[in-house]
Amino acid sequence: MKIGIVNDLPGVAALLQRVVGVDPSHRIVWTALNGAEAVELCAKETPDLILMDMVMPVMDGVETTRRIMASTPCAILIVTGSIRVNANRIFEAMGHGALDAVDTPPLHTGTTGDGFEPLRAKIATISRLVGDKRGGRRVADPGSRGSHPPRHDRLVAIGASAGGPAALATVLGDLPGDFPAAIVIVQHVDEQFAAGMATWLNQGTALHVRVAVEGDRPRVGEVLLAATTDHLTLKRPDQVGYTPDPVDYVYRPSVDVFFHSACRLWRGDVIGVLLTGMGRDGALGLKALRDHGHYTIAQDEATSAVYGMPKAAATINAAVDILPAGRIAAKLIDFLAIKV
């Protein structure tokens, strides 16, 4: 995998080079000292992955991510001094298409020490994602295609990845406080800042957003956000929980896993929504929902930061409607009004 490094601190850049060099299948194609230089270098040779700093002179990581994803899109991993301190900037960068974020290893950390392991693991995961031409293994749906039990409530199941925070903020921000459905979101996000993302989304919506915990029951007026690297799933018709299976699935938490569980267990109407993201996660689950008679939406190409997941859904005819992010909330409101 070809990797670019963007960091204004020579010591940190050198450490990242050593970390990357541990795996002989990775090759550093360039190193930039600021965002403006990174944009120029990326135009000359676009890597498979960029390790992006957040706080830099000339151009910060948010604007650099925006420009690169607009002109020469590729996988971007935010490597920052503190995820907690830079949470808002990270969410902005993810809104422009960054995949994930990780704390910078301490400068004294050796390339085989514990401090370097989180970065190494994320690079390995993204390497699998970038090289996953088929979109990972199919998540089996062990349920039968029987009729649905009587409806007790309505569930909006939303999946998102790269660019998801901005799209989610748009959709949730346009929903009223009396929106008549429970909402569950599976966003590919590191558990270190899932709680921060819930707080960030809360600031722009009339609904209550919080991280999902084992045994939670989806409720009208509340938005549950997947919060660990285990998969969020319906374990009972009215109760969510986490599972490590499938353990080797590249997408964690997986949108497909939740969509399939909702298809099997939810007693009522499900609306599946698949937003911007790299790869194919969620496409098969969205198709299963549509095949079972549920209404499904995929975000359109024009408003997707990364047109991977919704494109995969559109390709297999999994979406009833393909809509820009700014029209999804209105469509949800209108659809549920008709279904009353």
Side-chain angles (χ1 to χ4, degrees):
M1 184 168 64
K2 299 186 298 182
I3 297 178
I5 294 173
V6 190
N7 201 292
D8 65 309
L9 299 176
V12 174
L15 174 62
L16 297 179
Q17 289 172 3
R18 294 197 299 274
V19 170
V20 170
V22 169
D23 189 331
S25 68
H26 301 327
R27 177 170 63 91
I28 297 172
V29 293
W30 48 257
T31 300
L33 294 176
N34 59 65
E37 185 179 343
V39 173
E40 293 179 3
L41 290 170
C42 200
K44 295 177 182 177
E45 182 171 8
T46 304
D48 298 309
L49 169 65
I50 295 175
L51 305 182
M52 178 76 70
D53 192 13
M54 274 283 93
V55 182
M56 298 178 289
V58 184
M59 186 185 298
D60 69 5
V62 175
E63 179 62 14
T64 306
T65 297
R66 185 190 72 79
R67 295 196 186 191
I68 287 175
M69 293 306 296
S71 57
T72 52
C74 61
I76 295 178
L77 173 63
I78 302 299
V79 184
T80 182
S82 171
I83 286 176
R84 181 182 59 81
V85 172
N86 294 310
N88 285 348
R89 287 182 175 181
I90 289 169
F91 298 142
E92 287 185 61
M94 291 180 71
H96 293 306
L99 284 177
D100 204 347
V102 65
D103 286 330
T104 305
L107 284 176
H108 58 77
T109 302
T111 55
T112 58
D114 292 341
F116 131 90
E117 179 58 27
L119 174 60
R120 186 209 63 79
K122 287 190 182 295
I123 292 175
T125 297
I126 293 174
S127 178
R128 291 177 62 198
L129 180 58
V130 168
D132 181 20
K133 304 303 182 184
R134 297 170 301 169
R137 297 188 311 125
R138 182 187 182 109
V139 178
D141 177 12
S144 63
R145 291 187 49 158
S147 60
H148 296 297
R151 182 175 65 206
H152 292 283
D153 211 336
R154 298 172 175 88
L155 173 69
V156 177
I158 304 177
S161 184
L168 289 168
T170 297
V171 174
L172 296 180
D174 290 339
L175 294 176
D178 60 353
F179 182 67
I183 300 175
V184 176
I185 296 171
V186 177
Q187 159 78 45
H188 298 161
V189 65
D190 191 284
E191 59 187 314
Q192 291 184 74
F193 51 90
M197 181 175 171
T199 300
W200 183 74
L201 288 172
N202 240 333
Q203 297 170 0
T205 179
L207 301 168
H208 176 55
V209 184
R210 65 178 179 84
V211 296
V213 299
E214 189 76 25
D216 264 338
R217 289 177 167 82
R219 302 179 188 278
V220 172
E222 190 169 66
V223 181
L224 298 179
L225 175 69
T228 79
T229 52
D230 282 342
H231 308 295
L232 185 69
T233 183
L234 278 173
K235 292 190 171 180
R236 297 175 56 188
D238 63 344
Q239 206 168 66
V240 300
Y242 292 94
T243 176
D245 299 316
V247 295
D248 60 344
Y249 202 56
V250 65
Y251 309 103
R252 305 190 70 85
S254 167
V255 180
D256 271 328
V257 169
F258 186 78
F259 280 4
H260 278 301
S261 72
C263 194
R264 293 193 308 272
L265 295 174
W266 185 258
R267 293 174 177 168
D269 285 331
V270 180
I271 301 176
V273 181
L274 194 59
L275 302 176
T276 172
M278 180 179 287
R280 297 171 180 264
D281 189 28
L284 293 175
L286 200 72
K287 184 66 162 62
L289 286 170
R290 183 175 187 181
D291 288 346
H292 280 67
H294 297 294
Y295 178 55
T296 56
I297 298 172
Q299 188 175 349
D300 70 350
E301 181 175 8
T303 62
S304 292
V306 181
Y307 193 52
M309 287 160 49
K311 179 182 179 181
T315 300
I316 61 174
N317 200 29
V320 175
D321 282 318
I322 298 175
L323 301 171
R327 288 180 52 198
I328 292 175
K331 188 67 176 181
L332 293 175
I333 294 167
D334 291 344
F335 181 81
L336 290 173
I338 293 172
K339 295 289 288 186
V340 170

